[in-house]
Amino acid sequence: MATKKKWFKKVRGSYLPIAREGWLSYIPYIVFVIAIYAYAMIYFGYSVASLLIILFGWIFAGVVMTWFASTHSK
């Protein structure tokens, strides 16, 4: 059975990319974070609703990215 290539390395409770694929996985993450911000600003402007959408969207993105890195780490 072939071993799976590791993309991230766990460092003090965080994950750092060690492979090209790890670095490239940040592209959809950054696009998603920017899209959340743009959506909130376009539809809700400067309001509490937009703040909550951004806050919870970015927390969700961070949790998903951390989970993804943990499944692909050394």
Side-chain angles (χ1 to χ4, degrees), residues 30-46:
I30 292 169
V31 168
F32 182 75
V33 166
I34 292 170
I36 289 287
Y37 180 80
Y39 173 81
M41 287 295 121
I42 289 169
Y43 291 104
F44 297 98
Y46 291 99

Side-chain angles (χ1 to χ4, degrees), residues 22-67:
W23 285 105
L24 292 176
S25 68
Y26 277 94
I27 294 172
Y29 169 76
I30 292 169
V31 168
F32 182 75
V33 166
I34 292 170
I36 289 287
Y37 180 80
Y39 173 81
M41 287 295 121
I42 289 169
Y43 291 104
F44 297 98
Y46 291 99
S47 67
V48 175
S50 67
L51 177 65
L52 292 175
I53 289 170
I54 293 167
L55 181 67
F56 289 118
W58 288 2
I59 289 172
F60 173 75
V63 168
V64 169
M65 189 64 179
T66 302
W67 169 80

Side-chain angles (χ1 to χ4, degrees), residues 6-25:
K6 303 301 179 183
W7 296 356
F8 297 90
K9 180 179 180 181
K10 186 168 184 167
V11 178
R12 292 180 287 203
S14 184
Y15 297 91
L16 297 176
I18 58 172
R20 182 177 63 95
E21 293 87 351
W23 285 105
L24 292 176
S25 68

